Amino acid sequence: MSKIARRQFLQISAVAAAGAMLRPATEARAQDMPQLAEDDPMAMSMKYTHDASSVDPATRANPAPEQNCSNCALVQGADGDAWRPCQIFPGKVVNANGWCAVWAPKA
Ligand code: SF4
C-alpha cells in the first residue's frame, strides 16, 4: 500500500469509526441534517458529487458498473429517501444519486 493510500485509508477508517459511534443519533435526526455540499473540504477530499453519472468510471478504484450512494455499504437511513446519512460524513446527508471515492459494495 502506498504512503498516500495508507494515509487516506487511515483517515477514512477514523471518520467511519466516528460515524459509527454517532449512528443512533444521526439516523434519528436524518430529516433535520444539512445536505453535504460538494465544496465541503471533506467532500472535496473524497471527490463527492451529488450526481454519480458525472463521474468517469475509469477513475473509480472499484470496478462495479453502477455506483451511487443508494447502493453503497456506508449509506444509512431508509431506502428510497433522496438524501441519506453516510458513515463517512457524520452530521450531514448525501444525495442517494451521489458518489464519492470511498464507495464500497453492500455485502
Ligand atoms: Fe457515503 Fe458511499 Fe455515498 Fe461515498 S458513495 S458519500 S461513502 S454513501
Side-chain angles (χ1 to χ4, degrees):
M1 186 179 288
S2 75
K3 211 173 197 178
I4 292 174
R6 182 170 180 229
R7 184 179 307 144
Q8 186 174 28
F9 173 79
L10 292 172
Q11 287 173 336
I12 291 165
S13 298
V15 171
M21 286 188 280
L22 298 173
R23 178 181 279 183
T26 53
E27 285 191 9
R29 295 177 288 128
Q31 309 92 303
D32 302 327
M33 295 164 75
Q35 297 175 357
L36 178 66
E38 290 177 319
D39 62 356
D40 177 291
M42 181 73 172
M44 290 177 72
S45 72
M46 300 299 171
K47 301 179 181 173
Y48 172 80
T49 175
H50 296 318
D51 181 8
S53 69
S54 67
V55 180
D56 178 358
T59 66
R60 296 175 174 170
N62 193 315
E66 255 192 55
Q67 300 182 6
N68 56 53
C69 294
S70 66
N71 64 17
C72 176
L74 299 167
V75 77
Q76 300 174 316
D79 285 342
D81 285 357
W83 292 86
R84 300 171 65 177
C86 166
Q87 293 179 47
I88 297 300
F89 301 104
K92 305 233 171 112
V93 286
V94 298
N95 192 301
N97 296 318
W99 178 89
C100 86
V102 186
W103 183 90
K106 290 184 178 177

